[in-house]
Amino acid sequence: MELTIGQQALWFLYRLAPESTAYLITVALRVHDVLDLDRLRRATSAVMARHEVLRSVFDEVDGAPRRSVADRPPPFTVTELGAVGESELRAAAARAAGEPFDLGVGAFRVTLVRGGGGSVLLVTAHHIVSDAMSQWMILRDLLWAYEQDEPGWPVITQTFGDYVRHERELLGSPRRARLERYWRGVCEGAEPGGLPAGRARPAGAFRGASVTVVWPEETGTRLIEQARTLGVTPFALVVAGVQAALHRRGTGGDFLIGCPVSTRFAGRARDVVGCFANTVPLRARLRPGTTLGEAAVAAHRELVAATAHGEFPSALIRELTPGRGLPYQLAVNLLSMDAMDPPLPLAADGSIEGPVTTYRGLRFAVLDLAQMEGQFELMVDVRRAGALFTAVVKYDAALFDRLTIERFTGRLRQAVESGPDSPIGRLPAVDESEVARLLAFGEA
């Protein structure tokens, strides 16, 4: 079977760095009940039978990547650790989540890590067969199948193969020219936005790390009200904060950042698992007098237009401006925890484990393991749960040191908290921690 343009790009990156964890997606649950292993194995098998893309294996035929569906046993494994503490259990879960795939064998697995009277359930897939929304659907279906042998799943009337054919038809239609004109207009004359890197990026490294920003819930409540007043989404205000932080770090006034959009447009594809994410460029046009509110309104307008034109693959957008490389070095993404099924709230203090939730008769909490680091030079992963907003700033550790990213996150925090009437040019050039370090110079 043929691959989408996005899958072809992911196959190339996999061949470039097969041991990389940058494109592994995991949902991790700290389970507070004893799980029946046989039921969990049967549930894994049922989910694979429901979503044929999870049975995919990949190889090359005449130099071109191809996908086929294999008749493979359910990839369910149990790791027994014995008498270990909570930190050792979480560390073992992180190692299991980061185990690379051999895409010639499979791209999906379910792992249960047990030790010290506790357990962590990991649902892991390579991005070539999944995305964030798909991972939640897989988890939902797995828990339904664990609860009952004949779960009341929504009926699926399409397959991922139908989506591949839709993309091929789109790229062969007159609409392609209209999409190319739109994205060429977005990109022409703008520079990739990002932080100045002190080192060159090694080919195929994809070695990442992250720094987390947690805004107090009162800040989130204020952000939601400000967005309502402006007629935008809270995410647009955070995007404007990212753009402002970049501008204050030396990026010019006309630049591009990336934003993943869903290409799951057809209602019939709502419950189809697969890679439906497409990272497209957003253009920022800022002046020192531009307020954060004005930037948010512009970002909202860009987001709406990008979604309307989001079917055009990002790999082809890159080809519209030859010789310039990727049109963005930084991407910003939103994951709304409230919209997920099951809903998995994050910890209000930014800690790794969220509050305990009961779903389908099981008690568990989301375990926020580090993942998908190193895809871009910078990736601002925004999560929202009610009025709680966090931003996980993932960065290429081969390019940046942690202090540089902490300074950027400090500016991001200040920009978002400054309010919509604040001119971007008046935002502090240094954050509080930098002021403290500067004042400390010369002290005995």
Side-chain angles (χ1 to χ4, degrees):
M1 290 180 275
E2 291 185 327
L3 277 60
T4 65
I5 301 297
Q7 284 181 309
Q8 291 175 22
L10 287 166
W11 172 258
F12 170 78
L13 292 169
Y14 165 75
R15 292 296 299 271
L16 187 65
E19 300 299 314
S20 172
T21 63
Y23 294 93
L24 305 188
I25 314 174
T26 295
V27 177
L29 302 182
R30 176 68 169 85
V31 183
H32 292 271
D33 289 308
V34 177
L35 294 175
D36 183 313
L37 300 186
D38 288 336
R39 291 189 67 84
L40 196 51
R41 183 175 289 104
R42 290 198 298 272
T44 303
S45 182
V47 168
M48 292 183 69
R50 173 172 166 80
H51 301 290
E52 56 89 15
V53 74
L54 299 181
R55 305 193 302 276
S56 296
V57 296
F58 296 83
D59 59 5
E60 289 189 3
V61 178
D62 297 328
R66 289 289 185 271
R67 178 175 76 90
S68 58
V69 177
D71 184 14
R72 55 189 295 239
F76 171 68
T77 58
V78 180
T79 300
E80 299 283 5
L81 302 176
V84 299
E86 188 68 22
S87 61
E88 290 87 351
L89 176 64
R90 291 176 178 177
R95 289 194 298 272
E99 187 67 27
F101 283 103
D102 177 351
L103 294 185
V105 175
F108 166 72
R109 62 174 177 258
V110 176
T111 310
L112 185 66
V113 181
R114 301 197 298 187
S119 60
V120 177
L121 180 65
L122 304 167
V123 178
T124 306
H126 193 283
H127 199 11
I128 202 168
V129 299
S130 188
D131 56 23
M133 187 177 294
S134 293
Q135 286 299 102
W136 248 256
M137 288 193 295
I138 295 168
L139 176 64
R140 176 201 67 187
D141 289 354
L142 182 73
L143 296 177
W144 283 21
Y146 180 87
E147 181 193 39
Q148 50 190 303
D149 292 331
E150 295 185 7
W153 285 328
V155 175
I156 298 176
T157 58
Q158 285 193 347
T159 68
F160 190 74
D162 293 322
Y163 172 67
V164 178
R165 285 188 288 275
H166 168 76
E167 183 183 84
R168 290 286 182 270
E169 292 169 359
L170 170 71
L171 296 178
S173 72
R175 178 166 166 75
R176 174 173 183 160
R178 295 194 294 271
L179 291 170
E180 287 180 342
R181 281 195 300 272
Y182 172 79
W183 288 117
R184 190 177 288 110
V186 169
C187 295
E188 283 184 344
E191 296 298 321
L195 296 180
R199 302 182 288 268
R201 186 177 195 179
F206 306 119
R207 181 172 59 86
S210 59
V211 173
T212 300
V213 179
V214 181
W215 283 281
E217 290 200 59
E218 54 266 29
T219 299
T221 300
R222 191 164 59 249
L223 197 67
I224 293 169
E225 183 56 36
Q226 291 168 353
R228 186 180 297 115
T229 301
L230 292 169
V232 303
T233 63
F235 180 56
L237 271 166
V238 179
V239 170
V242 171
Q243 293 170 338
L246 289 172
H247 187 57
R248 294 299 287 158
R249 278 288 290 154
T251 300
D254 189 359
F255 60 90
L256 301 168
I257 64 173
C259 182
V261 297
S262 176
T263 55
R264 196 189 302 269
F265 298 116
R268 289 179 296 173
R270 183 180 58 187
D271 291 292
V272 178
V273 166
C275 180
F276 291 93
N278 187 38
T279 303
V280 297
L282 304 178
R283 190 161 183 167
R285 295 178 174 91
L286 305 178
R287 303 182 312 277
T290 302
T291 66
L292 191 72
E294 290 170 340
V297 170
H300 179 79
R301 186 168 56 246
E302 287 280 315
L303 286 163
V304 171
T307 301
H309 297 83
E311 290 178 286
F312 195 65
S314 60
L316 299 184
I317 294 175
R318 179 177 182 174
E319 295 176 2
L320 298 177
T321 52
R324 291 187 52 192
L326 197 66
Y328 43 79
Q329 300 167 354
L330 177 149
V332 58
N333 180 45
L334 172 68
L335 183 62
S336 181
M337 309 298 286
D338 296 333
M340 298 301 179
D341 183 19
L344 297 175
L346 299 170
D349 60 356
S351 58
I352 190 173
E353 185 172 335
V356 176
T357 299
T358 300
Y359 183 85
R360 297 284 169 179
L362 292 175
R363 295 177 303 127
F364 51 76
V366 65
L367 202 59
D368 195 12
L369 300 179
Q371 58 180 298
M372 302 188 77
E373 298 171 333
Q375 290 186 14
F376 299 96
E377 292 186 7
L378 280 176
M379 176 74 173
V380 182
D381 198 2
V382 181
R383 290 98 177 269
R384 178 187 176 184
L388 177 65
F389 288 82
T390 65
V392 181
V393 181
K394 306 173 184 180
Y395 62 97
D396 190 325
L399 287 179
F400 304 106
D401 56 38
R402 187 176 182 87
L403 181 58
T404 298
I405 304 304
E406 287 176 345
R407 289 171 176 168
F408 170 76
T409 57
R411 289 187 178 86
L412 171 59
R413 179 194 294 275
Q414 288 180 325
V416 171
E417 293 176 349
S418 66
D421 296 329
S422 300
I424 288 173
R426 294 185 184 176
L427 295 177
V430 295
D431 62 23
E432 294 176 0
S433 63
E434 289 179 88
V435 171
R437 282 192 292 270
L438 290 170
L439 292 176
F441 279 124
E443 292 185 359

